């Protein structure tokens, strides 16, 4: 049976997608340089699924290594998660972000082309909708960015479109994720950020666990029902299932498609805090702080294209997402080790 190469497969979304792929009887090969994850994630994926996976600790920027991986295996499609993802850090280290994300993708695409692999599912982001569109976001809206991280996603989408123009047998699905949170029900895999988290739910989780003192709510004067920012939070297991659908779609279709993976509903910061308090059974210490630069008031998906093309829709609500995040946090006080 042909194999799926998962780059960044030991990371947050990648590890959950590996579990879904194995549950759907795909054979997988994981490549990760462990810059933002741990090898222990491989054991956890194997434990949940009861199956073995082939793991390469390698950098996607390493052309020799990537070529060797393609030569050693029979890879029919790639799911490409590997990338750096911290918005603020990308402003401080633009060259690192452009090199890792864009050069890394170019090397991967070259290795794919030289080995006749023509299918790729790419981790794009709702960040490509920029500041000028209005929610709900539809895939035909113009894309733009406000920081180097966002530009890497906009540019990689363009590179992938161009590859489809030059090779009519190429099949690309760019999945634009909204705000992935939650964890696998087993509590064995979940989000395990290095250092102080930037994103809302990992931050709340550490306040709930007693590791951080207080959540800063970035702004309560937005034009939203309670004044705090509204986002489309999506359970990472729902998101992972969307990748299996995208792979099935790419097996049957050629050309480039961008597809939103979101629930189509927004929750405010205060609604997420309330859901987390319910999940962990204690109050989350918080204060209202100034707006965070670069944030918008409201961001949520029009999720109809994923339903039409893949028959996929998200199932979990915000309470379940927070309950699963808390379960993972409680069971892994020191992360995945
Ligand atoms: P993550 O950091 O947990 O996973 C990314 C993985 O890629 C990590 O395990 C890291 O070690 C690996 N990696 C990074 N650079 C690499 C390289 N050069 N070679 C090999 N491995 C490398 O992040 P995640 O949340 O799972 O995100 C996965 C993808 O989804 C990323 O491309 C990210 O930009 C995108 N995305 C994430 C979110 C989010 O909020 N989590 C939202 C939209 C899009
Ligand atoms: C959510 C809401 C904050 C932290 C980011 C990236 C985006 C995508 C997903 C990759 C906002 C508020 C947050 C805190 C807060 N990633 N907040 N206190 O900014 O929607 O999206 O992750 O592609 O590109 O920008 O997610 O979780 O950081 O913020 O009040 O300590 O929570 O202002 O309203 P965001 P987030």
């Amino acid at each position: 049976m042909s194999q799926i190469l998962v780059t960044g497969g030991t990371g947050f979304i990648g590890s959950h997608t590996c579990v879904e792929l194995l549950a759907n009887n795909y054979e997988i090969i994981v490549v990760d340089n462990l810059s933002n994850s741990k090898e222990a994630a491989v054991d956890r994926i194997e434990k949940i699924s009861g199956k073995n996976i082939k793991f390469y600790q390698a950098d996607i920027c390493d052309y020799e290594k990537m070529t060797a991986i393609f030569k050693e295996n029979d890879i029919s499609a790639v799911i490409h998660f590997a990338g750096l993802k911290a918005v603020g850090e990308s402003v401080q280290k633009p060259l690192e972000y452009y090199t890792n994300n864009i050069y890394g993708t170019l090397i991967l695409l070259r290795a794919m082309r030289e080995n006749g692999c023509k299918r790729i599912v790419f981790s794009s982001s709702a960040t490509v909708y920029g500041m000028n569109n209005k929610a709900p976001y539809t895939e035909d809206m113009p894309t733009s960015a406000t920081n180097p991280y966002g530009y890497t996603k906009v540019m990689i989408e363009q590179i992938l479109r161009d590859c489809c123009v030059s090779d009519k047998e190429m099949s690309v699905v760019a999945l634009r994720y909204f705000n992935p949170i939650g964890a696998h029900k087993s509590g064995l895999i979940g989000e395990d950020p290095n250092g102080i988290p930037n994103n809302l739910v990992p931050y709340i989780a550490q306040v709930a666990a007693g590791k951080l003192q207080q959540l800063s709510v970035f702004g309560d004067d937005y034009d939203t029902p309670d004044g705090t920012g509204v986002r489309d939070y999506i359970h990472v297991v729902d998101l992972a299932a969307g990748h299996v659908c995208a792979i099935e779609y790419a097996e049957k279709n050629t050309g480039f498609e961008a597809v939103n993976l979101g629930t189509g509903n927004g929750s405010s910061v205060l609604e997420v805090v309330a859901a987390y308090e319910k999940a962990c059974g204690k109050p989350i210490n918080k204060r209202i702080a100034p707006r965070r630069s670069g944030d918008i008031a409201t961001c949520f998906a029009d999720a109809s294209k994923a339903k039409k093309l893949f028959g996929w829709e998200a199932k979990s609500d915000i309470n379940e997402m927070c309950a699963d995040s808390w379960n993972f946090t409680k069971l892994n006080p020191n992360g995945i080790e």
Side-chain angles (χ1 to χ4, degrees):
M1 191 197 176
S2 62
Q3 300 151 328
I4 312 274
L5 175 71
V6 184
T7 75
T10 46
F12 173 45
I13 307 170
S15 58
H16 288 82
T17 301
C18 287
V19 168
E20 286 301 308
L21 288 166
L22 292 166
N24 284 277
N25 293 317
Y26 284 95
E27 207 175 301
I28 60 172
I29 293 160
V30 170
V31 173
D32 202 299
N33 66 359
L34 304 179
S35 60
N36 198 35
S37 56
K38 301 195 188 92
E39 193 169 350
V42 172
D43 305 331
R44 304 271 181 116
I45 295 165
E46 291 180 338
K47 194 164 175 195
I48 294 169
S49 59
K51 294 180 180 170
N52 291 328
I53 58 179
K54 203 165 180 180
F55 174 65
Y56 293 90
Q57 182 174 347
D59 197 301
I60 57 162
C61 297
D62 182 343
Y63 171 71
E64 309 298 327
K65 189 76 200 175
M66 293 307 291
T67 306
I69 292 169
F70 275 92
K71 296 258 179 278
E72 280 166 28
N73 298 289
D74 179 20
I75 296 165
S76 62
V78 176
I79 308 187
H80 178 31
F81 295 101
L84 298 173
K85 63 163 184 177
V87 171
E89 186 185 58
S90 80
V91 176
Q92 305 306 318
K93 299 180 175 173
L95 298 184
E96 281 80 354
Y97 271 68
Y98 287 120
T99 304
N100 192 75
N101 293 6
I102 296 187
Y103 179 71
T105 301
L106 292 173
I107 294 297
L108 172 67
L109 288 169
R110 224 173 107 193
M112 284 174 65
R113 187 177 65 186
E114 287 169 8
N115 290 279
C117 179
K118 292 174 187 269
R119 290 183 201 123
I120 181 166
V121 173
F122 170 61
S123 297
S124 189
S125 167
T127 196
V128 302
Y129 291 112
M131 304 281 272
N132 301 322
N133 294 303
K134 213 173 155 318
Y137 297 126
T138 52
E139 290 84 349
D140 55 0
M141 287 177 168
T143 59
S144 64
T146 53
N147 55 71
Y149 167 72
Y151 277 112
T152 69
K153 296 299 180 191
V154 171
M155 289 180 197
I156 293 168
E157 283 201 7
Q158 187 58 46
I159 291 165
L160 292 168
R161 264 190 211 96
D162 293 340
C163 290
C164 289
V165 171
S166 80
D167 182 348
K168 299 292 177 224
E169 290 175 2
M170 186 98 185
S171 177
V172 176
V173 183
L175 295 174
R176 295 178 178 166
Y177 313 150
F178 281 68
N179 290 60
I181 60 167
H184 192 264
K185 289 266 178 270
S186 63
L188 286 167
I189 51 174
E191 195 166 8
D192 181 17
N194 285 332
I196 297 176
N198 301 304
N199 297 112
L200 179 65
V201 171
Y203 200 103
I204 296 176
Q206 294 204 9
V207 175
K211 285 190 179 170
L212 291 170
Q213 267 219 313
Q214 189 177 53
L215 171 74
S216 294
V217 175
F218 296 142
D220 68 347
D221 56 353
Y222 284 106
D223 184 15
T224 60
D226 65 18
T228 64
V230 168
R231 297 291 182 273
D232 187 342
Y233 297 93
I234 172 164
H235 198 297
V236 64
V237 174
D238 282 335
L239 195 71
H243 290 73
V244 177
C245 296
I247 280 288
E248 286 167 0
Y249 179 86
E251 281 166 357
K252 298 192 198 93
N253 298 276
T254 55
F256 177 94
E257 288 293 346
V259 182
N260 289 340
L261 291 185
T263 64
N265 301 308
S267 303
S268 73
V269 175
L270 294 180
E271 284 170 340
V272 176
V273 171
Y276 217 98
E277 286 176 335
K278 202 163 130 193
C280 70
K282 50 187 156 187
I284 300 295
N285 183 16
K286 61 177 188 301
R287 70 175 182 115
I288 304 299
R291 291 181 179 193
R292 183 173 66 179
S293 127
D295 274 356
I296 51 172
T298 304
C299 170
F300 62 92
D302 177 324
S304 57
K305 186 171 174 183
K307 188 165 184 198
K308 191 167 148 227
L309 285 194
F310 306 156
W312 172 93
E313 58 190 331
K315 297 190 184 110
S316 298
D317 66 12
I318 193 73
N319 291 315
E320 189 174 356
M321 297 181 215
C322 291
D324 292 342
S325 160
W326 179 237
N327 181 47
F328 172 77
T329 306
K330 256 186 336 192
L331 291 172
N332 301 274
N334 302 313
I336 295 173
E337 52 182 6

